[in-house]
Amino acid sequence: MIKGFLFDLDGVLVDTAVYHYKAWKKMANDLGFDIDEEFNEQLKGISRMDSINLILKQGNVSLSEGEIHDLATLKNEAYVEMVDQMTAEEILPGIPELFVQLKKAGIKIALGSASKNAPRILKTIGLIDEFDAIVDGNSVSKSKPDPEVFLKGAEALGLANVECIVVEDAYAGVEAAHSAGMKAIGIGTKTNLPNADIILPSFEGIVLEELIKDLEKN
Ligand code: B16
Ligand code: MG
């Protein structure tokens, strides 16, 4: 029986990837190279430090640990400045309606995100009070595809792993869900999420009862 939904943040509840991209691109440009949108796809769902290390490798830039840390801090300051301007308008289609249906059905809601800025973003867009538990980049030490973030999410909700469904937009996130013994709804396409149990372009028009029936069949 499904008793909890664990939501990823970026790409599922809001599209913060565009702001991460702008801030990383500026950092790369300041260092004398560029990154494009195709490269940016690899950064979705992975931690800040894993992201900066991949970007520096891409630009063939070698820096000390301290310099890398300082650059990541500067990138984050630029990112935070942008996400602080976000509004509820940026919540992705169908999410508010899905939350209403989940609450009505008595299904708990948790966040399972790699972002250390997740609580700040949820406050800014007015979604924070909808969550029964929040597990973010501040409370996990291992990045997806490690299942830690979702295992902690189920634990925070007081639920067994198999009672939880993960909602993800990243391949590594779906892998993390499966390693945690949970089914995953992928937001995207069959091409980028071939491993998801159910794939939806978004939650627009989704009827929870039917979705749960499909998940239980799978
Ligand atoms: P921060 P998610 C992830 O969010 C982003 O997809 C990823 O691009 C970012 O590097 C990561 O959060 C860490 O974010 O710098 O804010 O701590 O998809 O796990 O919700
Ligand atoms: Mg994501």
Side-chain angles (χ1 to χ4, degrees), residues 67-84:
E67 286 167 327
I68 295 175
H69 187 269
D70 290 351
L71 276 180
T73 303
L74 276 179
K75 177 267 173 182
N76 192 55
E77 283 167 7
Y79 173 73
V80 163
E81 221 174 275
M82 289 185 270
V83 294
D84 277 356

Side-chain angles (χ1 to χ4, degrees), residues 1-3 98-108 208-209 212:
M1 185 162 169
I2 296 165
K3 295 186 179 169
L98 176 69
F99 278 19
V100 170
Q101 296 181 75
L102 287 169
K103 286 188 185 291
K104 225 172 145 191
I107 294 175
K108 290 187 173 160
L208 179 65
E209 222 175 290
I212 287 180

Side-chain angles (χ1 to χ4, degrees), residues 8-12 44-45 144 168-170:
D8 174 54
L9 176 71
D10 176 26
V12 169
K44 291 186 178 173
K144 301 166 190 173
E168 259 293 344
D169 71 315

